[in-house]
Amino acid sequence: MIVEVPGQYNPKNVEDEVREFWQREDTYHKVRRLRAGGRRFFFVDGPPYTTGRIHLGTAWNKVIKDSILRYMSMRGHELKDRAGWDMHGLPIEVKVEEHLGFRSKKDIETYGVDRFIEQCKSFALRQKDEMTEQFKSLGVWLDWDNPYMTLKNEYIEAAWWTLKRAHERGLLERGLRVVNWCPRCQTAIADSEVEYWDERDPSIYVKFPVEGEENTYIVIWTTTPWTIPANVAVAVHKDFMYSKVRAWRRDGTYEILIMATDLIENVLKQGRYVDYEILESMRGEDLLSLTYRNPLQDLVPPQRDFVHGVHLADFVTAENTGIVHIAPGHGLEDYELGLEKRLPIFCPVGEDGRYTSEAGEKYEGKYVRDANPEVVEDLMDRGALLASGELVHRYGHCWRCKTPIIFIATRQWFIRISDLRDQMLQEIERVSWYPEWAGSARFKDWISNARDWCISRQRYWGIPLPIWICRSCGSMDVIGTAAELEMRAGRAVEDLHRPAVDDVRLRCSCGGEMERVPDVFDVWFDSAVASWATLNFPREDKEFNVWWPADFITEGHDQTRGWFYSQLGASMVAFGRAPYKSVLMHGFTLDEQGRKMSKSIGNVVHPEDVVERYGADTLRFYVLSSNAPWEDLHFSWEGAMNVNRMLNILWNAYRFPLPYMILDKFDISKADTSRYSLRPEDRWIISRVNSLAKEIEENMAEYMLHRVTRSLQDFILEDLSRWYIQLVRPRTWIETDDPDKLAAYATLYTVMSSLVKLLAPFTPFLAESIYQNLVRGLDPSALESVHMCDWPGYREDLIDKRLEESMRYVREISEAVSNARQKGGRKLRWPVSRIMISSDEQLDLRDLVHVLRTQTNSKDVIVLPPGEKPEMNLEVSVVQKKIGPVFKGESRDVVEAITSMNPREVKRIIESGAPLEWKGKSYMITGEMVEFREIPPANLIPAEFSKGIVYVDITLTDELKAEGYAREIIRRIQDMRKDLDLKVDEMIRVSVALDSSEVLGLVSGWKDHISSEVRATLLRMGNDIDIEGELTKDWEVDGVNIRVSVARA
RNA sequence: GGGCUCGUAGCUUAGCCUGGCGGAGCGCACGGCUGAUAACCGUGAGGUCACGCGUUCGAAUCGCGUCGGGCCCA
């Protein structure tokens, strides 16, 4: 049984009802079970990080995933669709620290690592639950009951196992490296965890005194004064020219300075020197023999023992002084140069960002960034400061706690990704990228620059590194699974997290005791192993053998350096191949102006607010249709509103036939469409819906979600609502069991049942709601949910391209007629006697002429033969330039002759080649002497369409007037029915008083028609009759006053 | 500074891959419909297709460069 639905699309009600239905019927699981045994489609959910609420970007991400998965399911695929959660790492630690009011690692140690871990864990789990609800409210169907979670033991094992593979392949190494270091979190952080923004920093020029040369200095520039105590060398470029310069101060003293020749002016200006002379110029190489002293050597004892030299380096640029200060303990390039030149890797800074005792008593314990002014002062006191200022530049910060990072040399664990670079480049060629450039350009570029992956973090809440080292012999073991650990330890280990795992001691083959290294994994390593962890590999390999690698993943373009990369890296280590076959890269969500959404600008749009206002289907359809997936989405409320409006139109189109179907007890099983001859317009809309399905399939194959949704939108608005529904409306009012009406019902049913299936992946709630009522309501044998249905696909034999084309012309002509009517001042309610269609082509309107007739409200539709036009009035004008030279003095007469004659006659004469006779004279007129213009007669209003011109004859006759007035009266009575809120089939009594006898006379012939149209049992019309009824209203139509009263019969 | 990407009407955008009259929606102005009606429809105005150079018979589309936005890197 179908039921009527409310007149306004109310997404909240629709979605609540559907959600409840899915819940009650366990629809998700039924759908998944239904597809068991189908072609496998392995999707890996890029795990969102469990902190805070979901934002618009995350919502978009999941909507894309869900739409594609629903589509794949309808296409018959068995899905692997576990949702994933990224639950370890600093961000959560930072949140928990904030919550507990902690400021440093020491606070955590004091509080107790076990309690801290518990807090992190419960925080992550709580967040996961909250976010799950939010995703569910968007209609996202993933395996929410059984998600993969990075904090689970079986997940941790996947990471362990992968590291063990790295070790076995000789790709794991420990080394002193300069890393990005967060002094607050006291851990190394990945390049991808560094966030850059502008920071005001010192900008100083420092003079290093050259050994053995009196009053001579090498000049360097730096923005990190605090690294000067760790300076052990300087670098120059081999191609640059350098000069030794005598620089004079205002007071007449001078110094001898060494710097790049091109930069002398700049440097001396900074140092406020008044004059200079170049003593000597040399190439970079010529400086290599120099040595210098660190100006702070009296404060930093180890500096006294270092030999400070000059070295060549390519990274030196012709900026500032052209000489670069090298502190191998505090810079990546410095470190590499240090290794190469065997410089001391001097790093007198501790993990807390404070100077160690190595920096000397004066600096020890001071936080390096705070120490900047002091270092500058000390340099000045020692005459080593050439200039001091400030500048604003981009500086790196810890992604999570926003502390400016520092570079320090520490011992870390690395995976030698750089060894795998070439294989990775080969492997990504085999992956299908959407769009293509995401792989061929963007990702390729990133891989080409791939550096070794620092996987260790000096933190707590993460997957512990499964590396045990013997205290006696220093040998190292990497443990691959929990079982292996328990076997080696000889006892059970409940939780693989810290601190429990820290207590596990292993026996070394040397007989000594092995201890775990205290580090945890970089959190990027967690999600990197997702594609096999989600299959519970290595704990079991059954699923892995069947499903891996992933068929499809999709994430935002920031994940190029993130998850696309980390997964590839880990998979290359573990399996030597890419873990995914196709990747869709999507964009970012920005505000309407294309700015980043941020709390400080106050332009953040929350998905739940959009859902609240317009519903989840609207949000879904909006983000999918707004632009191409890989482009950034500029969110606009107006855009969302328009989608909502479109869905409302769909709702109205769906709702409109329901009352009639119910009234007529329409039975689809008896409405075998082949038994009723469908009208051409019925076959047209069916053709269109099949064409639509085809279009969608083609675009889905390329993940062109914007084209898919736009095709749907066009179909709903243009074909269904604006056209077909308009055409079909009168047929539903027929009250008998007319086959034509049943054909209309059957067509509507067919079209709507296809349409809701085509919509199901994108607007799952609305599609389900319509399906439940209309489709299941009419066909009890229909499947329980629209999401269980097979993708309807398309039938070539139902697609009639020529019919579609014909209908396109019919629509164009109808629109042109509207245009002409507007120009001619004839409302659509008033019939016209005829329209004439003129085209140079043979227009194939097929059997759609009746459609044209009703839609244009025209008594006759005349399609003229190709090239023909209605008879035109001809206008002739003379071309003086041509007449003058020929007729000279008689020109005036000739012009008079031409203009005073009937243009048609002039034309005939010219064409016949005969002379024109005028006032007893004859003139030979040629075609070039005149110009003819065709003017349609006043009653024919022309309007263009793509293939020609349509002429509307607006001549009024009494019959047309009578019908026009009759329709005016009908419309007003209908309006009043509405006011009285009558049911569509309720009968009424009507009185109509007109103040025009002429109109009354015309209309009286239409009395029966009016009565039946408005369902009147009694209709009284007169010039001056008594009027009474429940509702009385006065109207005015073209100067005629009409008083109408209506009462229930 | 480098890689990728985007720039089309007041706003949001399609078209670009594969060259052939630049399309929508919103907003604006005017009109229509009235058995979808707090809904819907039509018409109109509105364009330096960011800018410049090139390729071509022909460029929004292809190439190079410049400017501006986004992501990523240094």
Side-chain angles (χ1 to χ4, degrees):
Chain A
M1 264 304 287
I2 49 176
V3 295
E4 285 196 47
V5 296
Q8 197 78 19
Y9 167 51
N10 183 330
K12 206 173 174 56
N13 291 350
V14 168
E15 288 168 18
D16 282 348
E17 253 172 55
V18 168
R19 211 173 277 117
E20 196 184 305
F21 169 80
W22 287 345
Q23 177 88 34
R24 188 174 66 240
E25 299 297 334
D26 194 20
T27 310
Y28 166 80
H29 289 107
K30 280 180 183 160
V31 171
R32 291 290 182 265
R33 274 199 298 275
L34 183 72
R35 300 300 180 191
R39 237 181 82 203
R40 292 185 194 87
F41 189 78
F42 176 25
F43 165 74
V44 184
D45 184 26
Y49 198 82
T50 48
T51 178
R53 302 178 67 75
I54 69 170
H55 54 84
L56 201 57
T58 344
W60 184 21
N61 168 279
K62 282 286 200 281
V63 167
I64 290 173
K65 292 171 177 175
D66 182 61
S67 297
I68 290 168
L69 289 178
R70 284 182 189 268
Y71 174 74
M72 287 300 174
S73 169
M74 291 178 83
R75 296 294 302 260
H77 289 277
E78 178 178 358
L79 303 181
K80 179 62 72 182
D81 66 336
R82 287 181 86 184
W85 297 103
D86 199 2
M87 307 174 89
H88 282 137
L90 257 182
I92 287 174
E93 287 196 43
V94 170
K95 287 259 176 195
V96 172
E97 280 184 87
E98 269 170 24
H99 176 67
L100 296 172
F102 291 175
R103 312 199 60 156
S104 70
K105 279 165 85 168
K106 197 174 284 173
D107 292 336
I108 298 171
E109 302 278 353
T110 312
Y111 179 74
V113 172
D114 52 342
R115 288 169 69 201
F116 183 72
I117 291 294
E118 267 317 305
Q119 294 272 341
C120 289
K121 190 175 192 173
S122 64
F123 177 84
L125 288 168
R126 213 163 48 237
Q127 294 294 333
K128 180 212 74 172
D129 291 341
E130 250 178 63
M131 292 168 75
T132 300
E133 286 316 305
Q134 292 178 61
F135 286 134
K136 280 183 175 174
S137 75
L138 297 173
V140 175
W141 270 7
L142 291 172
D143 191 353
W144 296 116
D145 299 338
N146 179 31
Y148 73 82
M149 295 186 242
T150 56
L151 54 66
K152 294 279 191 184
N153 278 351
E154 64 268 23
Y155 196 100
I156 290 173
E157 283 185 89
W160 282 12
W161 178 85
T162 306
L163 192 72
K164 187 174 178 150
R165 286 284 297 151
H167 180 50
E168 287 164 1
R169 295 184 56 189
L171 294 167
L172 176 65
E173 90 180 9
R174 186 182 201 192
L176 190 66
R177 295 276 172 111
V178 169
V179 292
N180 306 306
W181 187 269
C182 174
R184 195 216 71 87
C185 304
Q186 297 189 29
T187 178
I189 57 179
D191 288 340
S192 51
E193 291 169 329
V194 179
E195 206 174 87
Y196 292 85
W197 66 76
D198 282 347
E199 195 75 53
R200 179 174 292 275
D201 272 320
S203 160
I204 60 168
Y205 290 78
V206 183
K207 296 180 291 186
F208 289 157
V210 176
E211 298 269 18
E213 294 188 36
E214 199 59 28
N215 198 24
T216 301
Y217 304 91
I218 294 170
V219 187
I220 63 98
W221 172 85
T222 183
T223 57
T224 50
W226 62 266
T227 59
I228 298 291
N231 172 280
V232 300
V234 296
V236 295
H237 198 284
K238 67 178 190 327
D239 297 334
F240 295 172
M241 288 304 295
Y242 292 86
S243 292
K244 213 175 244 186
V245 177
R246 190 195 308 273
W248 301 88
R249 291 206 193 82
R250 193 177 295 275
D251 62 7
T253 60
Y254 70 86
E255 286 169 332
I256 295 168
L257 306 175
I258 298 169
M259 68 196 92
T261 309
D262 290 346
L263 297 159
I264 294 171
E265 299 275 351
N266 165 53
V267 174
L268 296 188
K269 206 172 102 200
Q270 297 286 341
R272 302 194 177 183
Y273 294 88
V274 289
D275 199 6
Y276 72 92
E277 59 179 311
I278 295 178
L279 300 175
E280 193 184 336
S281 284
M282 61 215 84
R283 285 148 49 84
E285 293 175 80
D286 302 327
L287 295 169
L288 300 187
S289 56
L290 297 180
T291 57
Y292 68 91
R293 292 187 304 277
N294 186 309
L296 301 176
Q297 69 175 11
D298 60 314
L299 300 173
V300 186
Q303 282 288 0
R304 294 166 213 158
D305 303 327
F306 298 151
V307 177
H308 301 79
V310 181
H311 302 277
L312 294 180
D314 289 337
F315 58 77
V316 177
T317 57
E319 289 169 285
N320 304 303
T321 73
I323 303 177
V324 174
H325 139 63
I326 300 294
H330 295 308
L332 300 173
E333 288 164 330
D334 309 46
Y335 175 78
E336 271 156 30
L337 187 71
L339 282 187
E340 189 190 325
K341 306 292 182 191
R342 301 184 180 282
L343 305 174
I345 311 295
F346 182 51
C347 181
V349 176
E351 300 189 343
D352 53 1
R354 294 171 190 278
Y355 286 113
T356 60
S357 58
E358 281 192 305
E361 276 174 43
K362 184 163 190 295
Y363 294 133
E364 184 177 356
K366 293 193 168 124
Y367 185 59
V368 291
R369 285 184 64 89
D370 296 342
N372 275 333
E374 192 174 334
V375 172
V376 172
E377 209 181 299
D378 291 338
L379 287 169
M380 188 151 62
D381 291 349
R382 284 156 185 76
L385 192 69
L386 186 141
S388 166
E390 282 190 327
L391 97 170
V392 174
H393 65 153
R394 283 166 64 80
Y395 194 84
H397 301 77
C398 175
W399 202 19
R400 291 300 167 182
C401 74
K402 313 302 180 193
T403 307
I405 58 160
I406 59 173
F407 293 99
I408 59 173
T410 57
R411 292 185 77 80
Q412 300 289 347
W413 294 88
F414 290 85
I415 293 181
R416 298 164 59 113
I417 290 291
S418 48
D419 288 3
L420 300 172
R421 197 180 291 152
D422 291 344
Q423 289 171 54
M424 288 167 91
L425 286 171
Q426 273 175 30
E427 201 58 21
I428 60 170
E429 301 275 331
R430 310 201 318 168
V431 175
S432 303
W433 296 89
Y434 302 93
E436 191 273 335
W437 51 259
S440 66
R442 205 173 235 264
F443 198 45
K444 197 170 176 179
D445 177 61
W446 172 256
I447 302 274
S448 308
N449 296 315
R451 291 206 306 235
D452 289 346
W453 183 0
C454 172
I455 55 157
S456 47
R457 295 291 183 276
Q458 292 66 52
R459 295 296 305 188
Y460 308 95
W461 178 236
I463 298 180
L465 288 189
I467 303 170
W468 270 258
I469 292 177
C470 177
R471 289 210 285 201
S472 329
C473 73
S475 70
M476 157 181 137
D477 277 345
V478 178
I479 302 298
T481 62
E484 184 184 345
L485 181 67
E486 291 184 344
M487 201 186 72
R488 289 280 306 271
R491 67 174 172 94
V493 183
E494 291 283 309
D495 185 356
L496 301 181
H497 282 106
R498 297 187 70 185
V501 75
D502 298 336
D503 300 336
V504 179
R505 302 290 144 92
L506 306 181
R507 176 62 45 83
C508 180
S509 50
C510 80
E513 191 181 59
M514 301 184 97
E515 246 184 336
R516 197 187 73 83
V517 304
D519 297 349
V520 297
F521 273 100
D522 167 18
V523 71
W524 282 102
F525 199 88
D526 292 28
S527 54
V529 304
S531 70
W532 51 96
T534 191
L535 300 171
N536 285 332
F537 184 85
R539 193 169 276 199
E540 36 185 276
D541 62 5
K542 207 175 90 211
E543 295 243 290
F544 178 83
N545 292 335
V546 173
W547 291 90
W548 199 85
D551 290 292
F552 177 71
I553 62 172
T554 177
E555 301 299 332
H557 45 53
D558 55 330
Q559 296 302 331
T560 302
R561 69 167 185 177
W563 197 51
F564 297 160
Y565 173 68
S566 68
Q567 278 200 98
L568 180 65
S571 186
M572 293 306 292
V573 167
F575 305 107
R577 61 156 302 174
Y580 39 69
K581 293 186 201 156
S582 69
V583 181
L584 169 63
M585 184 185 82
H586 67 75
F588 256 50
T589 48
L590 308 173
D591 76 0
E592 200 155 356
Q593 283 91 51
R595 296 173 306 178
K596 217 171 178 173
M597 287 190 184
S598 79
K599 276 184 199 155
S600 54
I601 306 180
N603 60 349
V604 179
V605 175
H606 299 284
E608 63 267 28
D609 293 344
V610 185
V611 172
E612 177 64 29
R613 181 128 45 130
Y614 296 123
D617 282 331
T618 293
L619 174 60
R620 292 173 63 113
F621 202 93
Y622 170 71
V623 295
L624 294 174
S625 63
S626 174
N627 47 15
W630 46 87
E631 270 164 32
D632 290 345
L633 187 149
H634 296 199
F635 181 85
S636 119
W637 279 102
E638 203 169 86
M641 186 184 75
N642 285 330
V643 168
N644 184 253
R645 182 172 300 176
M646 184 272 295
L647 293 180
N648 185 41
I649 293 173
L650 171 66
W651 181 263
N652 283 330
Y654 143 66
R655 178 177 77 101
F656 134 80
L658 298 180
Y660 307 106
M661 288 178 167
I662 293 167
L663 218 57
D664 292 335
K665 300 189 169 54
F666 173 59
D667 183 349
I668 186 69
S669 66
K670 291 184 192 147
D672 174 7
T673 47
S674 61
R675 253 202 298 157
Y676 307 100
S677 52
L678 293 181
R679 285 210 198 177
E681 59 264 39
D682 300 335
R683 283 187 282 111
W684 168 78
I685 191 74
I686 288 171
S687 172
R688 281 294 304 134
V689 81
N690 278 275
S691 295
L692 171 67
K694 187 176 180 178
E695 233 173 280
I696 293 175
E697 278 182 33
E698 284 164 2
N699 285 316
M700 279 305 281
E702 302 282 318
Y703 299 116
M704 303 262 205
L705 295 160
H706 60 312
R707 292 198 187 172
V708 168
T709 42
R710 280 168 186 185
S711 299
L712 281 162
Q713 173 159 335
D714 280 353
F715 176 84
I716 290 167
L717 294 180
E718 293 296 330
D719 298 331
L720 185 63
S721 166
R722 286 179 198 160
W723 201 241
Y724 186 71
I725 297 289
Q726 303 311 323
L727 297 183
V728 89
R729 273 157 74 172
R731 291 159 73 185
T732 61
W733 308 333
I734 305 167
E735 304 201 10
T736 54
D737 230 3
D738 186 82
D740 188 41
K741 178 174 68 179
L742 296 183
Y745 287 165
T747 305
L748 276 170
Y749 170 83
T750 307
V751 169
M752 287 304 292
S753 75
S754 289
L755 181 60
V756 293
K757 289 171 200 167
L758 300 177
L759 278 168
F762 315 105
T763 56
F765 296 104
L766 183 54
E768 184 77 285
S769 175
I770 298 175
Y771 178 87
Q772 290 304 326
N773 189 25
L774 184 67
V775 179
R776 280 190 87 202
L778 287 172
D779 177 10
S781 70
L783 288 162
E784 189 178 293
S785 161
V786 70
H787 302 287
M788 295 169 85
C789 296
D790 286 341
W791 179 251
Y794 58 93
R795 277 176 53 184
E796 282 296 351
D797 64 313
L798 293 178
I799 296 179
D800 183 342
K801 279 291 165 205
R802 290 189 55 196
L803 179 62
E804 290 189 24
E805 190 186 64
S806 300
M807 190 63 98
R808 199 162 62 241
Y809 296 141
V810 168
R811 290 200 63 177
E812 282 183 13
I813 293 166
S814 295
E815 281 169 22
V817 168
S818 301
N819 189 348
R821 275 174 169 279
Q822 202 163 326
K823 281 192 277 189
R826 192 68 78 235
K827 293 190 269 193
L828 185 56
R829 199 180 303 141
W830 287 68
V832 295
S833 60
R834 58 181 179 157
I835 63 170
M836 281 179 274
I837 298 156
S838 165
S839 172
D840 289 338
E841 294 172 35
Q842 178 73 55
L843 281 189
D844 176 14
L845 299 185
R846 308 219 136 180
D847 27 17
L848 295 171
V849 172
H850 70 281
V851 173
L852 211 40
R853 200 155 43 222
T854 56
Q855 290 311 109
T856 61
N857 193 14
S858 167
K859 296 295 171 201
D860 199 5
V861 171
I862 299 164
V863 183
L864 297 167
E868 282 195 24
K869 286 185 251 188
E871 193 168 317
M872 293 283 158
N873 292 335
L874 216 53
E875 227 180 54
V876 66
S877 57
V878 295
V879 181
Q880 297 280 10
K881 211 190 289 179
K882 298 286 178 189
I883 292 173
V886 177
F887 296 105
K888 310 264 164 52
E890 293 176 310
S891 298
R892 185 178 286 241
D893 290 335
V894 173
V895 169
E896 194 186 322
I898 294 170
T899 49
S900 59
M901 283 178 80
N902 181 335
R904 211 162 287 284
E905 181 63 12
V906 176
K907 192 169 190 201
R908 194 191 57 77
I909 290 168
I910 291 171
E911 279 165 5
S912 71
L916 183 145
E917 308 287 340
W918 176 253
K919 289 185 177 167
K921 289 196 162 183
S922 54
Y923 307 102
M924 272 308 297
I925 308 294
T926 59
E928 60 180 17
M929 294 176 186
V930 292
E931 273 170 4
F932 291 101
R933 233 159 33 103
E934 292 184 318
I935 307 289
N939 65 314
L940 287 190
I941 312 293
E944 284 182 48
F945 69 105
S946 73
K947 295 284 178 198
I949 300 177
V950 57
Y951 298 88
V952 179
D953 189 343
I954 58 166
T955 314
L956 273 182
T957 63
D958 278 352
E959 291 96 79
L960 294 176
K961 268 166 128 177
E963 186 177 341
Y965 277 112
R967 290 184 65 158
E968 294 283 4
I969 291 168
I970 291 168
R971 200 223 105 194
R972 280 160 178 83
I973 299 171
Q974 299 288 25
D975 202 56
M976 292 171 71
R977 283 187 66 111
K978 203 92 207 165
D979 281 350
L980 286 169
D981 208 17
L982 300 179
K983 292 207 184 90
V984 284
D985 55 343
E986 209 162 338
M987 303 305 282
I988 54 173
R989 285 175 295 130
V990 184
S991 311
V992 180
L994 293 152
D995 70 354
S996 159
S997 307
E998 191 215 339
V999 173
L1000 180 62
L1002 288 171
V1003 169
S1004 57
W1006 285 82
K1007 212 173 152 182
D1008 291 347
H1009 178 75
I1010 296 172
S1011 302
S1012 82
E1013 282 292 301
V1014 304
R1015 292 175 168 265
T1017 52
L1018 177 69
L1019 171 64
R1020 296 191 308 138
M1021 290 200 289
N1023 270 339
D1024 193 18
I1025 57 167
D1026 290 339
I1027 284 276
E1028 56 179 304
E1030 288 172 53
L1031 182 65
T1032 302
K1033 267 191 165 183
D1034 286 308
W1035 305 88
E1036 200 239 295
V1037 181
D1038 286 350
V1040 179
N1041 291 307
I1042 304 175
R1043 168 170 286 202
V1044 182
S1045 85
V1046 174
R1048 276 168 242 258

